């Protein structure tokens, strides 16, 4: 298609007295080119991450009526006991993640402020909302909640481990990071210790395509739009030169038009190559994430 367009333009320059006869052929070729060509579009890694980040593990919250009278629980100690359970079961310990810590704290404070004890708030904010609000980008997340008069951190984690759903979160081999918050508060008429665990598998577990490639693609896309606008302008000027029977101006415009189309075609090929390279990386990320 592109070769035919170039041949049509060269023919105009050679034809001499017949130069005006071939103008419609140029315009027809150009219209076909723009109709058939679609500017390359890269796959958005954000869209893939959002589509994958749907698995949220939230077993029903635990309530414990009787127990000790301690007024505080240490998040660091809860994490230590949690990781002990993992290593005992042949799993790697969970790493501290400040964004997950922040999400857990925000969730805990929200439950006390809005007087609820559940995975989803009265305004329908779930753990995914708190996690995203903290800036954590994930493939998988899970949340454990507990409220009661626990004697210590060991007692709290034991209560979770005695519950199949909470135990599954603690021993999920896919999770690599954790955030924890714990404090005493009054919720639904009861004053007790409240604890939140948020588990995560971050997007960084799979290699993402280089974002600079995407920026280059976007720059090329802008350049293509600019070159296409220039081609449209040249086409209009060429048509005016034809109407005015100005052969000298017409020949000069055709030559400029030819050079512009060549540059445009080179930009198209560069963009297409980069998009394919970027999308190869996206597909690799997608494949990795689906295996998690």
């Amino acid at each position: 298609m592109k070769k035919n367009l170039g041949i049509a333009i060269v023919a105009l320059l050679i034809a001499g007295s017949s130069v005006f006869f071939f103008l419609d052929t140029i315009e027809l070729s150009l219209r076909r080119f723009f109709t058939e060509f679609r500017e390359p579009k890269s796959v958005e890694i954000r869209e893939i991450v959002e589509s994958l980040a749907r698995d949220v593990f939230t077993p029903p919250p635990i309530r414990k009526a009787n127990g000790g009278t301690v007024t505080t629980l240490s998040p660091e100690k809860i994490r230590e006991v949690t990781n002990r359970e993992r290593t005992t079961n042949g799993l790697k310990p969970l790493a501290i993640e400040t964004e997950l810590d922040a999400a857990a704290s925000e969730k805990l404070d929200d439950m006390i402020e809005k007087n609820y004890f559940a995975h989803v708030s009265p305004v329908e904010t779930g753990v995914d909302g708190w996690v995203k609000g903290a800036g954590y980008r994930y493939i998988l997340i899970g949340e454990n909640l507990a409220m009661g008069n626990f004697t210590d951190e060991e007692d709290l984690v034991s209560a979770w481990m005695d519950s199949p759903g909470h135990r599954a979160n603690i021993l999920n081999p896919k999770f690599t990071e954790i955030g924890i918050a714990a404090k005493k508060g009054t919720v639904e008429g009861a004053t007790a210790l409240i604890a939140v665990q948020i588990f995560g598998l971050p997007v960084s577990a799979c290699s993402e395509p280089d974002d600079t490639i995407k920026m280059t693609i976007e720059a090329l896309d802008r350049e293509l739009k600019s070159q296409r606008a220039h081609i449209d302008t040249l086409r209009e000027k060429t048509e005016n030169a034809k109407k005015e029977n100005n052969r000298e101006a017409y020949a000069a415009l055709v030559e400029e038009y030819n050079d512009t189309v060549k540059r445009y075609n080179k930009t198209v090929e560069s963009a297409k190559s980069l998009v394919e390279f970027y999308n190869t990386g996206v597909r690799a990320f997608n494949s990795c994430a689906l295996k998690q």
Side-chain angles (χ1 to χ4, degrees), residues 237-253:
K237 288 182 178 180
T238 304
E239 185 175 355
N240 290 335
K242 173 187 175 182
K243 292 177 180 177
E244 295 168 2
N245 201 26
N246 188 337
R247 292 173 178 249
E248 183 178 350
Y250 182 77
L253 285 166

Side-chain angles (χ1 to χ4, degrees), residues 13 28 50 55-56 60-61 71 90 118 126 145 154 183 207 210 231 253 255 268 286:
L13 297 175
L28 178 60
E50 290 180 354
D55 290 330
V56 179
T71 58
L145 300 179
E154 300 266 1
K183 66 165 36 173
S207 298
D210 188 345
I231 289 173
L253 285 166
E255 184 175 1
V268 168
N286 195 16

Side-chain angles (χ1 to χ4, degrees), residues 111-277:
M111 287 193 295
I112 295 174
E113 179 184 344
K114 293 186 174 64
N115 192 37
Y116 72 96
F117 182 59
H119 290 293
V120 180
S121 76
V123 295
E124 298 186 353
T125 300
V127 60
D128 56 330
W130 299 113
V131 165
K132 290 175 182 176
Y136 187 77
R137 300 172 66 237
Y138 67 91
I139 295 173
L140 299 173
I141 53 170
E143 181 180 62
N144 282 352
L145 300 179
M147 178 176 176
N149 298 311
F150 301 99
T151 56
D152 54 22
E153 294 80 7
E154 300 266 1
D155 187 29
L156 167 65
V157 176
S158 291
W160 274 328
M161 289 296 290
D162 288 339
S163 164
H166 299 84
R167 178 187 179 89
N169 271 346
I170 291 174
L171 300 184
N172 189 330
K174 295 181 179 180
F175 290 137
T176 60
E177 299 176 335
I178 191 172
I180 299 172
K183 66 165 36 173
K184 196 165 191 176
T186 301
V187 172
E188 298 175 349
T191 299
L193 292 166
I194 305 170
V196 179
Q197 282 184 322
I198 298 181
F199 307 85
L201 173 67
V203 167
S204 59
C206 295
S207 298
E208 294 185 71
D210 188 345
D211 198 49
T212 58
I213 299 175
K214 184 170 179 287
M215 293 172 63
T216 303
I217 292 171
E218 291 170 349
L220 287 173
D221 182 61
R222 291 191 294 271
E223 176 62 20
L224 282 172
K225 287 181 173 65
S226 175
Q227 290 180 9
R228 280 178 65 164
H230 185 47
I231 289 173
D232 288 340
T233 299
L234 286 174
R235 182 170 54 187
E236 182 178 352
K237 288 182 178 180
T238 304
E239 185 175 355
N240 290 335
K242 173 187 175 182
K243 292 177 180 177
E244 295 168 2
N245 201 26
N246 188 337
R247 292 173 178 249
E248 183 178 350
Y250 182 77
L253 285 166
V254 167
E255 184 175 1
E256 183 180 356
Y257 172 87
N258 193 25
D259 290 340
T260 303
V261 169
K262 286 180 180 179
R263 289 196 302 273
Y264 182 85
N265 289 345
K266 288 182 179 179
T267 306
V268 168
E269 292 306 318
S270 296
K272 284 182 177 179
S273 296
L274 272 179
V275 166
E276 182 54 36
F277 181 74

